[in-house]
Amino acid sequence: MLLASKADRNGSMSGKAKSKTTDKLKRPAPEEEAVQDIEQLLLFNDEAGPDVDDDEDLTDSEESVYSGLEDSGSDSEDDDDDEEEEDKEAEISSSAEVKSGIETAPQGQDAKGKPSKQQSKSQKSAPKKKVKAEGENEKLERQPSSAALGDEYEQDSSDEEDIRNTVGNIPMEWYKDYPHIGYDLDGKKIFKPIRNKDELDEFLEKMDNPDYWRTVHDKMTGSDIRLTDEQIDLVHRLQKGQFGDVSFNQYEPSIDFFSHETMIHPVTNRPEHKRSFIPSLIEKEKVSRLVHAIKMGWIKPRKPKDHTPQYYDLWAKEDPNSILGRHKMHVPAPKLKLPGHEESYNPPPEYLLTEEEKLAWEQQEAEERKLNFIPQKFSCLRAVPAFQRFIHERFERCLDLYLCPRQRKMRVNVDPEDLIPKLPKPKDLQPFPTMQSLVYRGHTNLVRCISLSPCGQWLASGSDDCTVRFWEVSSARCMKTVEVEGAVKSIAWNPNPALSLVAASLERCVVVLNPGLGDILVSSVTEQLISSYVEPEEEKTQAVQWVVPETEASEKGVRLIIRHPKSVKQVTWHGKGDYLASVMPDNGNTQVLIHQLSKRRSQNPFRKNKGLVQCVAFHPSRPAFFVATQRYVRVYNLIKQELTKKLLANCKWVSSMAIHPGGDNVICGSYDSRLTWFDLDLSTKPYKVLRHHKKALRGVAFHKSYPLFASASDDGTVIVCHGTVYNDLLQNPLIVPVKVLKGHEITRDLGVLDVAFHPTQPWVFSSGADSTIRLFT
């Protein structure tokens, strides 16, 4: 019967060739096929008749059911034949299900006892088959074995879903960017299981689930698998580097295939091959090549190694072939001093020491003694004893040889005066101020700042006594005094000779004054400029407030007040006279403001200030703006609106800055008593650093026409230096200090606070903490 069924199946397999393409699409898993084969064999033993035709029908129906093919309307057979086949298929499937359920788990269910997807699909596709099979199923299911019932309830988990995927053994990274992980037999997408566990859920599961430590996630099926004890044991063994198989013995005795005993007969008794008696042509060619290479001298035989130790004579100069004898810087061994009369065994009496000399010799240090022994007199050579310091002297000699320097250092004998640079004499560099001519008295507190008019006739000064005073330079007479609301920190005269304006910074405002001195035409032009301003229709919000003063203040000469949010430290004019800049060090990102006088506009040129701004200055001829912070001086291009240079001041805190009239050199004074000269064409680092002052520098200034610059310090002195800048770029500036000017008294640890040159004459003005202004000519 078994043979017949197998033969029938072979016959049906030939019939399967027709539906090969459809069979590929819907083929059951190999495990299911095996189970079905066993079930059918059992059924055929019970139900199959002797008819061969019936068996053929059964195999056909089995093929059609399990290949997943459905009945189509295009079959050539009659309806009656179809019904008979359906009856037989129903009988086969029902009895197969019953028997397989008794012996194993129900076919078409997974390990948990749930109906699989394939079974549900086959149920939908063939409802007719199931209707006829229900009756027999009920009869057989009424008498199940107790073991089958127990298994059924143990594995019953119908509430859970089967989350295993059935895509097969494919690389899962193909689908890492997609919501699905493959396709089922119908070509439909199998979506990824939703695993939205966060760290809290993972922790709770770790606490609640006792098998958490042995649960692993299978990426292939998408399910969590609980490892068995055997699997955990296997993992532990592999982690320890042991073999996976428990029964494998790695220390088995090795089989000695070839015995150590010398045998009479060979292992193989095959006769030698004929070619083993003929010389090899390849070897002959190799040997001929090697012989040729040895003849040509390309291959040289190895020299036998000489294992005898080699010693080098450190002082071998006599031998020209020795290593150190050929050395250029070789130093010969220092020679011993030849013995004199004092070392004789019978020296002349004048070499023998007296008792006093012996006592003096013993009291001296060993290094101070002229002789390291006391001369002695013996009657004959036989009476001379052994020299006590013989070993000590030999040891000292060895040390002299061993510790003597091996290198000859050539000493350069340089005259110290040659190291001092050749500077011209100060007499050749005149004119420069040498003596004090005038003292301007009138302020009652320290005078912080001074400024001169472009013509050089008038001098303006600001003091902590809340006054601005205007002086006549030639007579030291105070022409006008303007009382203001606070201490004047900075003052600047407008450099345009066509205008008569002075800007002074006090507390939180900048005051613009018309002193009314000098030419009446210049004063009237200035008044017209200020009064001709027309307010715009739409006023833009500005960082500062432009205020026209009241009548009382305007009578004093105050024409405009620019109110700032913080206290103003410095004010300076542009060369054309229409713009002025103010510095507020404590105002965050608006430390520097540039004001336009004609349009009464103010703007902040920098979005962000890097560091605390100490002082600013306009370039005398180019559209450049210098901003000095504590350690750096930044040079900005006002047209391109970009940083062009960043000068490193090499000092701790910059206090003041001045720009050469040519515009290519800058000097900076600092609170650590240094004056640094920068050559902008040369480098961003200082060309010269002068440390002539003993205390902090408060002010620096260049002369407009003479090659002079001056620095004022808290030590009460003004140092005037000659600084020639050459037109030839290859020649560096010549800097020579020419005069130290004294006269100011140090008051409250403050000396000279500001310094300024006369516009046309080689004169220098200085203001000090002793409430005076002094003119040096």
Side-chain angles (χ1 to χ4, degrees):
M1 198 65 181
L2 288 166
L3 291 168
S5 64
K6 282 182 181 178
D8 294 340
R9 187 171 302 151
N10 291 335
S12 66
M13 288 301 286
S14 63
K16 278 185 185 182
K18 298 172 185 177
S19 59
K20 194 173 180 183
T21 54
T22 54
D23 191 19
K24 276 184 184 177
L25 290 170
K26 300 188 179 181
R27 177 161 295 173
E31 294 175 22
E32 293 176 8
E33 274 191 14
V35 175
Q36 289 163 11
D37 289 347
I38 294 162
E39 290 166 4
Q40 284 164 16
L41 287 174
L42 292 168
L43 283 169
F44 292 154
N45 284 334
D46 297 334
E47 293 178 8
D51 256 329
V52 179
D53 297 338
D54 294 346
D55 291 341
E56 284 176 1
D57 290 341
L58 283 170
T59 52
D60 288 338
S61 66
E62 170 213 333
E63 192 266 338
S64 64
V65 168
Y66 290 106
S67 63
L69 292 170
E70 296 179 2
D71 298 331
S72 61
S74 62
D75 289 316
S76 61
E77 294 177 0
D78 298 327
D79 296 336
D80 300 334
D81 297 338
D82 292 342
E83 286 175 7
E84 286 173 14
E85 282 180 12
E86 284 172 7
D87 294 345
K88 288 170 187 174
E89 285 167 351
E91 287 170 7
I92 291 163
S93 62
S94 62
S95 56
E97 281 176 11
V98 171
K99 291 202 176 185
S100 62
I102 293 165
E103 290 173 10
T104 61
Q107 172 66 21
Q109 293 183 4
D110 58 6
K112 296 180 182 178
K114 296 181 286 187
S116 69
K117 293 179 183 178
Q118 288 179 356
Q119 186 186 356
S120 63
K121 283 173 189 168
S122 64
Q123 286 169 1
K124 286 178 187 175
S125 63
K128 292 179 186 178
K129 300 169 191 173
K130 282 232 166 174
V131 172
K132 290 188 179 181
E134 274 176 7
E136 290 183 14
N137 282 353
E138 283 175 63
K139 289 174 189 174
L140 288 166
E141 280 174 2
R142 281 170 193 165
Q143 300 133 356
S145 65
S146 60
L149 274 172
D151 291 347
E152 184 184 336
Y153 288 118
E154 260 182 17
Q155 297 176 349
D156 184 20
S157 57
S158 55
D159 294 340
E160 298 176 16
E161 271 190 42
D162 185 9
I163 61 165
R164 290 185 305 163
N165 78 57
T166 55
V167 296
N169 187 14
I170 59 162
M172 285 295 150
E173 60 265 15
W174 290 356
Y175 294 101
K176 66 179 180 184
D177 296 329
Y178 297 97
H180 59 286
I181 51 168
Y183 301 88
D184 57 9
L185 289 172
D186 288 342
K188 292 180 181 176
K189 291 179 181 177
I190 299 175
F191 289 94
K192 289 178 184 175
I194 298 166
R195 292 179 63 85
N196 54 358
K197 286 183 182 177
D198 56 5
E199 290 183 7
L200 187 62
D201 294 336
E202 287 284 342
F203 177 73
L204 291 173
E205 188 181 355
K206 186 178 180 180
M207 293 293 108
D208 298 340
N209 187 4
D211 293 334
Y212 177 81
W213 64 276
R214 62 160 71 197
T215 307
V216 293
H217 180 66
D218 187 8
K219 289 183 181 176
M220 188 65 69
T221 60
S223 60
D224 290 335
I225 297 171
R226 179 185 176 278
L227 299 178
T228 60
D229 292 339
E230 292 81 10
Q231 288 170 331
I232 289 167
D233 192 30
L234 173 64
V235 170
H236 287 328
R237 280 201 305 278
L238 293 176
Q239 282 177 341
K240 290 175 185 173
Q242 299 173 356
F243 288 91
D245 189 4
V246 188
S247 58
F248 180 76
N249 183 15
Q250 55 183 337
Y251 303 112
E252 284 181 356
S254 62
I255 299 163
D256 196 8
F257 291 103
F258 297 97
S259 64
H260 61 279
E261 297 168 5
T262 309
M263 302 172 79
I264 305 167
H265 300 289
V267 179
T268 58
N269 206 11
R270 193 178 63 190
E272 291 286 341
H273 205 275
K274 186 181 177 183
R275 66 169 168 266
S276 64
F277 298 100
I278 301 167
S280 171
L281 291 172
I282 296 166
E283 284 180 8
K284 182 184 175 185
E285 195 179 342
K286 278 186 182 177
V287 170
S288 65
R289 278 184 197 159
L290 290 169
V291 168
H292 177 64
I294 292 167
K295 280 180 182 177
M296 297 297 290
W298 301 334
I299 298 175
K300 290 178 181 176
R302 288 178 187 166
K303 291 179 183 177
K305 285 186 179 178
D306 187 15
H307 293 288
T308 57
Q310 288 185 330
Y311 300 104
Y312 300 98
D313 186 2
L314 287 174
W315 306 102
K317 193 182 177 185
E318 291 76 19
D319 183 12
N321 297 321
S322 66
I323 297 166
L324 290 164
R326 297 192 304 269
H327 199 266
K328 193 188 291 181
M329 302 300 286
H330 176 69
V331 181
K335 291 188 177 174
L336 279 172
K337 184 187 162 190
L338 292 171
H341 293 298
E342 67 271 8
E343 292 184 55
S344 169
Y345 75 95
N346 188 15
E350 61 264 22
Y351 285 94
L352 296 171
L353 301 180
T354 61
E355 291 297 325
E356 291 174 1
E357 286 174 338
K358 279 184 184 178
L359 282 170
W361 184 87
E362 284 169 3
Q363 286 170 2
Q364 278 180 326
E365 293 288 333
E367 291 84 9
E368 294 174 0
R369 292 169 184 167
K370 287 182 180 179
L371 296 172
N372 55 0
F373 63 93
I374 296 172
Q376 286 177 302
K377 189 173 183 179
F378 298 97
S379 57
C380 59
L381 195 60
R382 195 186 299 154
V384 177
F387 184 41
Q388 290 179 350
R389 298 185 73 257
F390 174 74
I391 293 172
H392 185 76
E393 273 197 354
R394 292 295 92 200
F395 179 68
E396 290 284 337
R397 171 68 178 159
C398 290
L399 284 182
D400 287 345
L401 295 175
Y402 163 60
L403 296 173
C404 179
R406 305 277 193 286
Q407 192 177 7
R408 184 184 287 115
K409 290 187 178 179
M410 303 300 290
R411 282 192 66 188
V412 184
N413 294 321
V414 180
D415 188 12
E417 291 182 2
D418 295 343
L419 295 173
I420 300 168
K422 298 289 181 189
L423 293 175
K425 292 178 181 177
K427 286 181 182 179
D428 302 335
L429 301 175
Q430 285 179 338
F432 54 83
T434 54
M435 54 181 285
Q436 180 180 306
S437 294
L438 289 171
V439 180
Y440 301 79
R441 300 183 191 277
H443 285 290
T444 57
N445 207 331
L446 48 90
V447 186
R448 285 197 181 269
C449 47
I450 50 174
S451 181
L452 280 111
S453 63
C455 61
Q457 189 180 354
W458 313 104
L459 171 71
S461 63
S463 170
D464 276 9
D465 59 4
C466 303
T467 60
V468 174
R469 288 179 181 261
F470 295 95
W471 313 79
E472 190 180 21
V473 170
S474 56
S475 63
R477 190 174 64 160
C478 181
M479 304 298 291
K480 190 174 184 179
T481 304
V482 179
E483 291 183 2
V484 290
E485 295 173 358
V488 182
K489 296 285 168 58
S490 174
I491 195 164
W493 206 297
N494 194 317
N496 188 353
L499 296 174
S500 176
L501 285 175
V502 175
S505 65
L506 43 115
E507 291 182 355
R508 293 194 176 190
C509 57
V510 173
V511 177
V512 181
L513 302 150
N514 182 0
L517 299 170
D519 197 346
I520 300 169
L521 286 172
V522 174
S523 293
S524 60
V525 168
T526 307
E527 293 292 339
Q528 282 176 8
L529 175 72
I530 290 170
S531 59
S532 64
Y533 170 72
V534 180
E535 288 189 4
E537 293 177 1
E538 293 183 6
E539 280 195 11
K540 291 182 181 178
T541 53
Q542 299 187 85
V544 297
Q545 209 176 354
W546 291 75
V547 179
V548 178
E550 297 171 358
T551 53
E552 189 180 331
S554 61
E555 283 173 7
K556 294 177 183 176
V558 179
R559 295 291 172 262
L560 282 172
I561 299 171
I562 310 169
R563 299 198 183 276
H564 290 65
K566 291 284 176 76
S567 61
V568 183
K569 182 185 177 184
Q570 188 215 357
V571 62
T572 181
W573 287 94
H574 185 262
K576 297 284 177 68
D578 192 26
Y579 291 91
L580 72 150
S582 58
V583 177
M584 295 173 288
D586 306 327
N587 201 24
N589 288 333
T590 53
Q591 294 185 42
V592 181
L593 291 174
I594 295 176
H595 315 282
Q596 188 177 4
L597 198 68
S598 57
K599 295 183 180 178
R600 297 192 188 176
R601 280 192 318 192
S602 301
Q603 60 179 350
N604 177 16
F606 306 112
R607 193 182 298 111
K608 189 178 180 183
N609 287 107
K610 296 178 180 177
L612 287 174
V613 179
Q614 301 302 309
C615 51
V616 295
F618 288 98
H619 193 280
S621 54
R622 291 198 287 269
F625 191 55
F626 293 77
V627 179
T629 55
Q630 286 182 352
R631 296 198 177 192
Y632 297 95
V633 177
R634 291 177 173 84
V635 186
Y636 295 93
N637 190 321
L638 292 172
I639 291 175
K640 293 182 180 177
Q641 297 180 0
E642 63 182 14
L643 179 71
T644 54
K645 271 193 178 66
K646 183 181 176 185
L647 310 177
L648 178 65
N650 272 12
C651 57
K652 291 179 181 174
W653 198 307
V654 174
S655 63
S656 50
M657 175 176 58
I659 300 161
H660 192 271
D664 289 331
N665 294 272
V666 180
I667 55 171
C668 291
S670 69
Y671 290 119
D672 52 353
S673 64
R674 295 183 189 189
L675 186 140
T676 50
W677 176 296
F678 291 97
D679 191 338
L680 299 180
D681 296 330
L682 192 67
S683 171
T684 56
K685 291 180 180 176
Y687 162 64
K688 275 274 173 71
V689 179
L690 306 177
R691 295 185 183 86
H692 298 139
H693 288 286
K694 293 174 184 174
K695 289 189 179 178
L697 271 78
R698 294 285 173 178
V700 288
F702 269 112
H703 199 288
K704 282 188 179 178
S705 52
Y706 287 97
L708 297 172
F709 66 93
S711 57
S713 169
D714 277 343
D715 58 6
T717 62
V718 174
I719 293 180
V720 180
C721 299
H722 181 93
T724 306
V725 176
Y726 299 98
N727 291 327
D728 184 9
L729 291 173
L730 296 173
Q731 201 166 356
N732 290 330
L734 175 70
I735 299 168
V736 184
V738 289
K739 190 68 179 175
V740 179
L741 302 172
K742 297 177 182 176
H744 285 279
E745 295 174 8
I746 296 171
T747 311
R748 289 181 256 166
D749 288 335
L750 297 172
V752 187
L753 298 177
D754 198 8
V755 65
F757 276 101
H758 193 277
T760 55
Q761 298 294 329
W763 301 344
V764 69
F765 296 84
S766 63
S767 66
D770 57 355
S771 312
T772 62
I773 303 161
R774 295 172 190 263
L775 167 63
F776 297 93
T777 59

